[in-house]
Amino acid sequence: MQLKISNIYEQIIQAKKKGQKLLAILLDPDKIVLENLEGLLQKINQSPATHIFVGGSIVQTTILEELMAKLKQRTNLPVVIFPGDPSQISPQADAILFLSLLSGRNPDYLIEFHVQAAPILAQTNLEVISTGYILIESGNETAVARVSKTKPLNRENSDLVLATAQAGEMLGNKLIYLEAGSGAKNAVPVEMIELISQNIKIPIIVGGGIVDLQGIEKAYNAGADLVVIGTAFENNNLFFQSLKTNQKITCAND
Ligand code: 1GP
C-alpha cells in the first residue's frame, strides 16, 4: 500500500484500524553527506519504510532544504519533520510532529518553542500533528535528555508513564511517542508499550534503541503502531536488506 501524502494523520489512523504496522526511517540531517545521498535514497526506496522522519535534538547543518528537496524528488514516502527546535521547520516537508515533551518539566519544550514555531508554521502548508513525546529511561544519557535538560521517566514506573500518556491524550495530542532516545542501550519495555496501548486510543509511535527485526516485531506485537529506526540504518545502510527475507517485516506497504 502506498501512503497518500495528502493527510498523513488520517493514513496513520486508517492503518491502525486495519492493523497495518508503519515504519519510519529517521534521518538526522547533520549525519547526511549529500554526495552519498543517491545511494541512501536507493536503500530507502528498497526498504519497507512507510515514512521518512527528518530531525535531531540539535541540527546545525546548512543542507536541510537541499536534503528535503532531494527526499521529495526521489522518494514517494511522506516526509515528516521530527524537530528538536523550531529551526528545523522546512516548508518542503509534508508534515511536522508538533512535539510536547510531556515527560519533562522544561517550559521551552512544553510551550515556548511552540509559540515560536506557530507563526512560521502558519506560513506553510505543513500538516501539523500534535504529539505527546515521552522520554523513557534507557540505560544511558541520550541527546534528548541532554539537550532538553529534562529527566526521562523511570522505566520501572509504568503507572507514571501511563498517566503521562493519558494526560497527553486528554490534552488533545493526536499521537503518543514513546522514546528511549536515539542510540538507547535499552528500548522501551514491551510491557510498557502493552500497558499504554491498552489504555489510550490514539496511535503510538515507539523509537530509540531498536536495532533488529526482533525489536521491531516485539514493539508491533506489544501495540506500537509505528516504529522508528534511526541509528541502526545510520550505522548500516543495508540494515533493511540484512533482515532475513523469510522474516519479512509486516507493515503497511507490504
Ligand atoms: C530517536 O526514536 C528515534 O529519536 C530513533 O532512535 O536512533 O535509536 O533508532 P534510534
Side-chain angles (χ1 to χ4, degrees):
M1 183 185 87
Q2 184 67 56
L3 291 180
K4 273 213 244 136
I5 289 179
S6 54
N7 189 336
I8 291 165
Y9 184 65
E10 187 53 33
Q11 292 291 341
I12 295 173
I13 291 289
Q14 291 306 323
K16 183 177 174 69
K17 274 188 191 153
K18 294 177 193 157
Q20 293 171 328
K21 300 297 183 177
L22 304 171
L23 183 68
I25 293 184
L26 172 63
L27 300 178
D28 179 342
D30 275 350
K31 296 186 182 149
I32 303 286
V33 180
L34 278 182
E35 290 69 43
N36 300 338
L37 192 57
E38 214 43 49
L40 193 71
L41 290 169
Q42 275 181 21
K43 300 285 181 301
I44 292 172
N45 285 331
Q46 289 160 5
S47 80
T50 57
H51 294 76
I52 300 172
F53 284 4
V54 179
S57 296
I58 296 181
V59 169
Q60 291 169 318
T61 184
T62 52
I63 62 148
L64 182 64
E65 292 306 332
E66 210 174 333
L67 171 64
M68 286 291 184
K70 284 264 165 32
L71 291 174
K72 290 306 299 169
Q73 284 161 15
R74 301 297 314 280
T75 77
N76 291 320
L77 298 178
V79 177
V80 180
I81 303 168
F82 174 48
D85 62 60
S87 72
Q88 296 174 33
I89 296 170
S90 164
Q92 297 187 81
D94 300 297
I96 181 168
L97 298 185
F98 204 46
L99 301 170
S100 297
L101 182 55
L102 301 178
S103 51
R105 295 298 178 265
N106 181 342
D108 284 350
Y109 293 84
L110 288 165
I111 185 61
E112 174 60 29
F113 284 152
H114 309 68
V115 173
Q116 290 176 21
I120 305 170
L121 291 171
Q123 302 291 321
T124 72
N125 290 320
L126 289 172
E127 183 181 338
V128 177
I129 306 173
S130 41
T131 301
Y133 189 52
I134 302 178
L135 183 61
I136 313 292
E137 188 272 321
S138 62
N140 51 325
E141 196 198 38
T142 56
V144 187
R146 193 173 64 250
V147 173
S148 68
K149 301 189 177 67
T150 66
K151 282 191 191 149
L153 298 184
N154 185 336
R155 63 190 286 114
E156 307 294 330
N157 194 344
S158 290
D159 288 347
L160 180 58
V161 177
L162 174 57
T164 306
Q166 287 173 318
E169 181 174 46
M170 290 173 192
L171 277 165
N173 285 288
K174 293 176 168 175
L175 298 170
I176 290 293
Y177 191 139
L178 299 175
E179 170 73 279
S182 193
K185 194 167 151 196
N186 302 303
V188 177
V190 283
E191 302 77 19
M192 189 174 277
I193 302 171
E194 263 165 21
L195 180 72
I196 309 301
S197 72
Q198 285 161 9
N199 287 284
I200 65 170
K201 292 192 182 69
I202 53 178
I204 298 175
I205 301 177
V206 176
I210 298 177
V211 294
D212 53 22
L213 180 66
Q214 204 192 11
I216 296 172
E217 296 285 13
K218 270 169 39 182
Y220 284 157
N221 292 337
D225 298 291
L226 186 154
V227 165
V228 185
I229 297 290
T231 306
F233 182 65
E234 236 165 54
N235 291 345
N236 173 15
N237 289 347
L238 298 173
F239 174 74
F240 292 105
Q241 280 90 329
S242 69
L243 302 176
K244 284 181 191 158
T245 46
N246 62 350
Q247 290 178 297
K248 219 161 163 254
I249 300 172
T250 310
C251 63
N253 65 346
D254 278 344

